Amino acid sequence: MTTTVRPIEPHTADGGFQPPTDPVPVEPAEPAGADLRPRWEVPAFIALLVVTAGLYLWNLSSSGYANSFYSAAVQAGSTSWSAFLWGASDAGGSITVDKPPASLWVMALSVRIFGLSSWAILVPQALMGVGTVALLYRTVRRRFTAGAALLAGATLALTPVAALMFRFNNPDALLVLLLTASVWATMRAIEGPRTTRWMVLAGVFIGFAFLTKQLQAFLVLPGLAAAYLWAGQLPLVKRIRDGLLAVGAMVLAGGWWVALVELWPEDSRPYIGGSTNNSFLELTFGYNGLGRITGDETGSVGGGTGSGSWGSTGITRLFSSEIGGQIAWLIPAALVLGAVAFWLVRRAPRTDARRAQIVVWGAWLLVTGLVFSFMAGIFHAYYTVALAPAVAALVGIGASEVWARRDRLWALVTLAVVTLGTAGWSVVMLSWSSEFLPWLRVAVLAAGLAGAVALLAGRWFGRRMMLVGAGLALVAGLAGPTAYTIDTISTGHTGSIVTAGPTVQSSSGGGGMGGGQGGPGGRTGTQTGTQGGPGGQTGTQGAPGGQAGGTTGGTSDGAGTGSVGGLLNGTTVSTQVEALLEEDADGYTWVAAVIGSQNAASYQLATQASVMPIGGFNGTDASPTLEQFQTWVAEGKIHYFIASSGMSGSDAASQITTWVEESFTAQTVDGTTLYDLSGGVTG
């Protein structure tokens, strides 16, 4: 069916638009300037993807199993289709992780094919990063220049927190890929034809994003809805129809698994980790939902009080030393350039796809950024990877649109001011880590000053001078995040709380943040940060081949050590303990049970046998009950109980520990206390 659309109007001399012409029937719109595609575009696009792949794949195994909490669930899903379906932490299916399982599915399939290894787990994440860069490029390129798309893609690839999370096994990598895909599909719907199918596809992407990280997926919906309802080619009634169909597709794509969980008999599926009543809906709207906003998170690490245990909230949160180095390098530039770009297309026809795309990216950045800034519940610096595509797109689009009007003095002044401001802000951020490349601060400032001067001088000295200024502006804007990104990919990261770049000084005057490390040959690294749980946490995490990584977390004043060891990381599994657990492992549903998912993950990854995480992630979930545990022991399903020093967990976990200690004989193997549950009660 032929759809009536308006052609893109050419710019007038003052940067505005000629009056709109009458609508004409056309075929699907080609990307802006497709008939004038520069020769360098395809090679540059390929080079962008190759470099991105190199960045995200290099030194990848240095992180070992990364976050063992998710790696254990991946291992379980690779050996049990039931654990795969539910997203269980263990192949025995006692409890799920505290997120829906979509991201686990991808990694578990990889492990099923290639076997359990760091590469099998992390390569899919890296490829998601390459895919996200490619999708961002293609989305921007549809209505803007090749230069805009290339700058957007490069900015995303070089964002420190993107380099961190696309090399890590948390759900955020798949979340960002799916959200970027939803924008791509929405823009195709806005441009037409076949708007309905593209909107349905966008809804499917959001639905699977929900199955990746629940309600966070919906933060992009305001921008997608506003852009399509405003700029869609069809009459308003049909635009509303397509929007409702997209919502329906979203509900189906994300809701089938939710319905399965809620309708399935509770005694024949795993307990829903992180919930208080074994309900995924309660987890969605509680611990992982409104609790993140209000801070009232029952069962969370330091949560449940709304006391702001996870750092100061407010409009400056993303620009603090703890968070800024992850994402904030180009946020001011993105806001300014995005606003200018929107102003330039303000008089375009209603269906202008360029303005619609600016609206989508701008709303994404503003809505997500404000939620992150003011949420009082659990918040980690790496969450900000969700902002990276929007920041990168606005920088690429805005810089390109202003550069296209460089014959106007206001455009050169805008570029010069943004260059100076970005360089100055980069110097401030680099100063948070005084020992990290001190010469770079001088170089960035010099490049920013020289770039701003050259851009302005180009008005009188010609195009070559402007190009020099543009090049220096790129250096000033990207040098800081590039240095952080290189530092990030050069370092292994393990544990539940990781950050990109070097250790920085906390804005509260205490310990800074740095990425947890772990690598081959027993390399052990440390992490210090303001985001540690109350009282501080310490622990180590096993990795392939006997590698170990370590994490030391603390409160903002660095107080407290070792109160809940193994909570945010795991434990080192000795070869003697590993060998003991592997004896007759096939004869048990669980070779061991231990309080806390990170502790259980360490033993499970070492033995590749199912280990029960009593109480879930932080030991506070009511799974299993003492009665259920006693039944499983009587049925001969659990071989060992491993004592956890300093981690009591929930009431149920405490009851289980007390019963085991009173009923069975302890044995110590290489410093680890175990209870053999297979011989019957002895106490």
Side-chain angles (χ1 to χ4, degrees), residues 456-475:
L456 294 174
R459 182 169 176 82
W460 294 277
F461 292 95
R463 180 174 179 270
R464 183 170 299 178
M465 181 64 72
M466 286 188 188
L467 291 176
V468 170
L472 290 171
L474 289 176
V475 170

Side-chain angles (χ1 to χ4, degrees), residues 133-155:
V133 170
L135 267 177
L136 179 65
Y137 181 99
R138 293 301 304 160
T139 302
V140 172
R141 184 63 181 101
R142 290 193 64 80
R143 287 297 166 181
F144 298 95
T145 66
L150 188 64
L151 179 56
T155 299

Side-chain angles (χ1 to χ4, degrees), residues 328-339 391 394-395 398-399 418-419 421-422 425:
W329 301 88
L330 293 171
I331 287 181
L335 292 172
V336 172
L337 293 172
V391 172
L394 292 174
V395 167
V418 170
T419 298
T422 302
W425 176 231

Side-chain angles (χ1 to χ4, degrees), residues 216-353:
Q216 187 178 337
F218 297 162
L219 294 180
V220 302
L221 288 180
L224 298 181
Y228 182 72
L229 292 176
W230 184 0
Q233 301 283 337
L234 301 178
L236 178 59
V237 172
K238 292 186 177 180
R239 276 178 271 152
I240 294 175
R241 177 205 63 190
D242 288 349
L244 294 176
L245 289 173
V247 171
M250 177 185 72
V251 172
L252 288 175
W256 68 270
W257 187 86
V258 179
L260 189 66
V261 171
E262 294 299 313
L263 296 176
W264 200 273
E266 293 182 358
D267 59 357
S268 60
R269 63 157 171 80
Y271 185 92
I272 302 302
S275 70
T276 60
N277 60 357
N278 200 11
S279 167
F280 182 78
L281 290 177
E282 190 275 333
L283 174 68
T284 299
F285 294 105
Y287 175 65
N288 281 339
L290 296 179
R292 298 291 172 118
I293 304 298
T294 64
D296 294 324
E297 300 164 295
T298 302
S300 76
V301 184
T305 63
S307 58
S309 301
W310 302 97
S312 300
T313 61
I315 198 66
T316 61
R317 183 186 218 175
L318 300 181
F319 304 96
S320 65
S321 61
E322 294 91 342
I323 310 298
Q326 313 302 299
I327 188 65
W329 301 88
L330 293 171
I331 287 181
L335 292 172
V336 172
L337 293 172
V340 172
F342 182 83
W343 179 259
L344 292 173
V345 295
R346 68 193 186 281
R347 295 177 181 171
R350 179 187 64 79
T351 56
D352 184 71

Side-chain angles (χ1 to χ4, degrees), residues 325-583:
Q326 313 302 299
I327 188 65
W329 301 88
L330 293 171
I331 287 181
L335 292 172
V336 172
L337 293 172
V340 172
F342 182 83
W343 179 259
L344 292 173
V345 295
R346 68 193 186 281
R347 295 177 181 171
R350 179 187 64 79
T351 56
D352 184 71
R354 293 166 301 169
R355 182 177 57 203
Q357 191 166 154
I358 295 169
V359 168
V360 169
W361 297 121
W364 179 336
L365 176 56
L366 291 174
V367 173
T368 306
L370 288 173
V371 169
F372 286 173
S373 295
F374 290 95
M375 59 188 287
I378 292 178
F379 177 77
H380 300 309
Y382 66 78
Y383 290 179
T384 58
V385 69
L387 297 170
V391 172
L394 292 174
V395 167
I397 292 170
S400 175
E401 289 296 288
V402 177
W403 175 255
R405 296 161 177 81
R406 59 190 178 277
D407 58 325
R408 312 291 293 181
L409 179 59
W410 68 263
L412 294 177
V413 171
T414 299
L415 291 174
V417 169
V418 170
T419 298
L420 277 176
T422 302
W425 176 231
S426 294
V427 170
V428 171
M429 295 178 69
L430 289 169
S431 68
W432 291 336
S433 182
S434 59
E435 297 181 358
F436 179 70
L437 303 178
W439 59 267
L440 186 58
R441 281 170 272 166
V442 178
V444 167
L445 184 59
L449 288 170
V453 171
L455 285 169
L456 294 174
R459 182 169 176 82
W460 294 277
F461 292 95
R463 180 174 179 270
R464 183 170 299 178
M465 181 64 72
M466 286 188 188
L467 291 176
V468 170
L472 290 171
L474 289 176
V475 170
L478 294 177
T482 299
Y484 262 53
T485 293
I486 293 174
D487 180 83
T488 300
I489 67 174
S490 301
T491 306
H493 295 80
T494 63
S496 298
I497 301 177
V498 291
T499 56
T503 301
V504 299
Q505 182 66 27
S506 169
S507 60
S508 61
M513 297 188 68
Q517 304 172 6
R523 173 187 175 195
T524 299
T526 61
Q527 173 179 344
T528 61
T530 63
Q531 299 287 338
Q537 290 83 29
T538 63
T540 58
Q541 171 183 337
Q547 302 162 18
T551 300
T552 301
T555 57
S556 59
D557 59 3
T561 59
S563 63
V564 281
L567 172 59
L568 299 180
N569 224 318
T571 186
T572 299
V573 181
S574 70
T575 55
Q576 293 94 325
V577 172
E578 180 180 339
L580 181 66
L581 295 180
E582 289 175 343
E583 291 180 6

Side-chain angles (χ1 to χ4, degrees), residues 179-249:
L179 295 185
T180 305
S182 73
V183 174
W184 169 74
T186 300
M187 291 311 305
R188 295 296 301 265
I190 288 173
E191 294 166 7
R194 298 185 292 274
T195 60
T196 302
R197 69 181 64 177
W198 285 113
M199 284 303 293
V200 167
L201 182 59
V204 170
F205 286 137
I206 296 295
F208 276 98
F210 173 82
L211 285 184
T212 302
K213 211 172 179 189
Q214 291 168 287
L215 297 182
Q216 187 178 337
F218 297 162
L219 294 180
V220 302
L221 288 180
L224 298 181
Y228 182 72
L229 292 176
W230 184 0
Q233 301 283 337
L234 301 178
L236 178 59
V237 172
K238 292 186 177 180
R239 276 178 271 152
I240 294 175
R241 177 205 63 190
D242 288 349
L244 294 176
L245 289 173
V247 171

